[in-house]
Amino acid sequence: QVQLVESGGGLARAGDSLRLSCAGPRRTNRNYAMGWFRQAPGKEREFVAGIGWSDRSSYYAGSVEGRFTITRDSAQNTVYLQMNSLKPEDTAVYYCASDSPHLSRREADFRSWGRGTQVTVSS
């Protein structure tokens, strides 16, 4: 496991944009997937977006497809989530995850997690 630190959350209005960042320690082994999950009040944590080590294999939950973009700086072991056209239903704590050996939407496949950053979107 590695320590991950998220940043970039905050308050936004519907239609606004926010960019989340997640930084981990630099590593020589970069062959793993990273991703973002979120948990809204009273709901289970859900997958948002993931990206493979090549930075060309990104995938998204249907609810954010076309609005959110995940990118990765493998050299810096940093992953970003650009969130555009935000909606009130995007309000949640967003968690960064890493160290999945393959592209996955399952929490159990990611072995390292950040503590989360709050995103609140008002209408």
Side-chain angles (χ1 to χ4, degrees):
Q1 295 183 352
V2 297
Q3 183 176 4
L4 304 173
V5 180
E6 303 101 334
S7 61
L11 300 175
R13 293 186 176 182
D16 284 351
S17 298
L18 285 175
R19 188 190 194 209
L20 304 183
S21 300
C22 170
R26 294 186 182 185
R27 302 162 62 181
T28 55
N29 173 25
R30 303 168 187 170
N31 191 14
Y32 53 90
M34 300 183 74
W36 290 93
F37 289 74
R38 68 185 182 186
Q39 186 168 21
K43 296 187 177 181
E44 295 185 353
R45 190 155 58 182
E46 64 177 2
F47 169 80
V48 175
I51 190 165
W53 72 274
S54 69
D55 202 19
R56 289 174 290 181
S57 51
S58 57
Y59 49 106
Y60 301 89
S63 59
V64 306
E65 184 92 47
R67 299 188 298 122
F68 291 9
T69 303
I70 186 171
T71 55
R72 176 177 179 172
D73 181 339
S74 294
Q76 300 296 325
N77 196 28
T78 301
V79 64
Y80 305 94
L81 185 68
Q82 178 66 42
M83 305 185 295
N84 297 331
S85 301
L86 283 164
K87 303 177 180 180
E89 50 263 44
D90 294 320
T91 295
V93 177
Y94 284 71
Y95 296 90
C96 175
S98 183
D99 289 319
S100 174
H102 52 266
L103 303 181
S104 175
R105 299 170 184 261
R106 298 175 62 243
E107 289 186 48
D109 288 331
F110 292 84
R111 290 169 285 188
S112 298
W113 291 83
R115 294 186 175 184
T117 185
Q118 177 71 46
V119 172
T120 302
V121 184
S122 61
S123 57

